[in-house]
């Protein structure tokens, strides 16, 4: 059993002894701490917290405990039940709530679940706020409401439609152009909430021909839910069989978007943000932001339109903070996470799909042709499993010293920028691993650079 407590929330495998997995006792403790934090810090005169969940098998069990705990802490809960992460983020502000909890473990396999915590703006807690919640949980510094002050449940199933309506109202989304293009679209929603909302979005955008894979939201994922090429062989085959123009794949909570070309080849997670940014910048030039592990292609596209590119530490909350600081018009993460401030400050696959289809309709190109128009980089994503005896901080310090002659960024792990490639080493916040991302102009070069770093780490261990 695994339990990971971090500033971004609490994540673990279902079951186990106390503090060994994500179980009812752990959930109650952490939710109580979050409720206490919200009570102490909210600036709003409200008593509502929004709760949404993806379609994981454990989701209903976890949701019932979360809602019961929040009620026991004296909060009214707006239960939107099965909803995407961006839908839940939007619901917080639409409800005027003082916070929100999303029950999802994102791309992790079905035995995992997690609690992601939102502030009153519908954005993830920052480092300082997350540490406050962890401290409250550790000290068990919370107090439950008396019978007269217990909260109640408010059920609201309308947020799927509200989310779609918000996307349709975006100025850069051209429903008529998409309708005229008569796209044939294939989708893989990995048996989670995307299977409910993505088809409805596409129909609302004027797409009439949709070829569906794994859209039944039963939570028993049909394949590894991380939307990376090795997990997407089925939709790759479907593209040519169905003569689809484009394919879209989302993760279980629908904040990541992968695009598939008409010939079955992957557009590349990294290039989801690049293409959407290309379109947004062509209409509204400005600055962009992505995290340190994202492709240089976004920098190249941004500079083409006269804007400035900025890098942030890995994590949505860090990207959002840098976007606000630099007044970026578009940003996100290279894992297919598009953040468009005109909608909200959160990764949103629905926004990504609508903007991508609009751009594709305007360009009148095949997806593969659009991909080939961008600077070609290749990223190798590798990892090393952690063991208790490994001192990660010591390893990263030694790597930094070894490559001190190059441009190094250490705001999040260690990133080494070579003239024609880069490598980024960091400890994951969500899994017990060291991630090693490397980018170069060929996949072979990127993999060789990643393997070189793995060899160095093993030697240091």
């Amino acid at each position: 059993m695994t339990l990971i407590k971090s500033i971004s929330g609490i994540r673990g495998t279902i079951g186990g002894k106390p503090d060994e997995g994500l179980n009812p006792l752990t959930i109650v403790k952490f939710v109580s701490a979050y409720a206490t934090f919200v009570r102490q810090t909210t600036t709003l005169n409200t008593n509502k917290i929004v709760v949404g969940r993806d379609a994981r098998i454990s989701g209903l069990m976890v949701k019932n405990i979360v809602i019961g705990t929040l009620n026991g802490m004296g909060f009214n809960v707006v239960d939107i039940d099965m909803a995407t992460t961006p839908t839940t983020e939007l619901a917080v502000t639409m409800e005027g709530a003082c916070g929100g909890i999303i029950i999802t473990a994102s791309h992790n396999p079905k035995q995992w679940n997690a609690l992601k915590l939102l502030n009153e703006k519908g954005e993830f807690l920052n480092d300082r706020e997350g540490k406050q919640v962890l401290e409250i949980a550790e000290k068990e510094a919370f107090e439950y409401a008396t019978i007269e002050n217990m909260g109640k449940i408010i059920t609201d199933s309308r947020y799927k439609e509200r989310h779609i309506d918000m996307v349709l109202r975006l100025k850069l989304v051209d429903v008529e152009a998409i309708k005229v293009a008569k796209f044939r679209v294939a989708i893989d929603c990995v048996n989670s909430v995307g299977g409910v909302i993505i088809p409805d979005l596409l129909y609302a955008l004027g797409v009439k021909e949709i070829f569906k894979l794994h859209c039944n939201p039963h939570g028993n994922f049909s394949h590894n839910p991380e939307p990376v090429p090795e997990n997407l062989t089925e939709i790759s085959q479907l593209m040519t069989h169905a003569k689809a123009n484009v394919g879209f794949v989302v993760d279980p909570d629908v904040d990541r978007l992968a695009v598939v070309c008409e010939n079955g080849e992957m557009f590349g997670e990294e290039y989801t943000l690049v293409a959407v940014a290309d379109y947004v910048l062509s209409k509204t030039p400005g600055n962009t932001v992505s995290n340190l592990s994202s492709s240089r292609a976004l920098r190249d596209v941004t500079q083409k339109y006269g804007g400035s590119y900025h890098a942030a530490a890995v994590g949505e909350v860090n990207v959002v903070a840098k976007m606000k600081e630099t007044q970026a018009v578009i940003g996100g993460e290279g894992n297919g996470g598009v953040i468009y401030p005109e909608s909200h400050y959160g990764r949103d696959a629905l926004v990504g799909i609508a903007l991508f289809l609009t751009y594709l309709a305007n360009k009148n190109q095949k997806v593969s042709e659009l991909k080939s128009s961008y600077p070609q980089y290749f990223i190798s994503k590798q990892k090393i499993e952690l063991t208790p005896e490994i001192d990660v901080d010591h390893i990263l310090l030694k790597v930094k010293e070894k490559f001190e002659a190059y441009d190094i960024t250490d705001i999040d792990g260690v990133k080494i920028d070579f003239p024609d490639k880069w490598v980024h080493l960091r400890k994951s916040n969500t899994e017990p691993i060291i991630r090693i991302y490397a980018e170069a102009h060929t996949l072979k070069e990127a993999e060789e650079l990643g393997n070189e770093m793995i060899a160095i780490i093993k030697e240091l261990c």
Side-chain angles (χ1 to χ4, degrees), residues 278-296:
D278 190 17
Y279 171 52
V280 170
L281 292 169
S282 72
K283 302 294 184 181
T284 53
N287 300 331
T288 65
V289 173
S290 65
N291 68 38
L292 287 169
S293 289
S294 300
S295 175
R296 280 182 178 175

Side-chain angles (χ1 to χ4, degrees), residues 168 173-180 204-206 358:
L168 298 181
V173 172
D174 191 336
V175 176
E176 188 58 30
I178 295 171
K179 185 177 180 180
V180 170
L205 288 169
T358 299

Side-chain angles (χ1 to χ4, degrees), residues 53-55 82-84 160 164 187-203 210-219 221 248-254 349-350 353:
R53 68 180 178 99
D54 70 13
M82 283 209 292
T84 74
K160 178 186 71 170
I164 291 173
I187 57 174
D188 180 349
C189 298
V190 72
N191 305 115
S192 192
V193 292
V196 178
I197 198 169
I198 298 300
D200 284 358
L201 170 71
L202 291 170
Y203 287 130
I210 305 173
F211 304 90
K212 303 176 184 178
L213 277 178
H214 313 307
C215 286
N216 185 355
H218 50 62
F221 305 143
F248 295 118
V249 184
V250 294
D251 63 339
D253 67 326
V254 198
L350 278 73
I353 287 171

Side-chain angles (χ1 to χ4, degrees), residues 224-266:
N224 186 308
E226 186 165 15
V228 292
E230 56 265 31
N231 301 329
L232 305 180
T233 55
E234 285 181 275
I235 193 168
S236 180
Q237 295 167 1
L238 176 63
M239 294 300 296
T240 52
H241 176 72
K243 295 183 172 59
N245 302 109
V246 62
F248 295 118
V249 184
V250 294
D251 63 339
D253 67 326
V254 198
D255 60 359
R256 290 173 60 176
L257 173 65
V259 180
V260 188
C261 300
E262 79 288 344
N263 56 13
E265 294 180 0
M266 296 297 114

Side-chain angles (χ1 to χ4, degrees), residues 42-89:
T42 185
T43 63
L44 301 179
N45 185 25
T46 181
N47 198 40
K48 291 190 292 187
I49 292 178
V50 175
V51 174
R53 68 180 178 99
D54 70 13
R56 288 171 186 273
I57 297 168
S58 61
L60 183 59
M61 178 273 288
V62 176
K63 186 193 81 166
N64 288 338
I65 296 169
V66 168
I67 291 177
T69 303
L70 290 173
N71 286 162
M73 290 295 296
F75 281 94
N76 296 330
V77 174
V78 182
D79 177 14
I80 64 173
D81 199 38
M82 283 209 292
T84 74
T85 285
T87 304
T88 310
E89 292 170 340

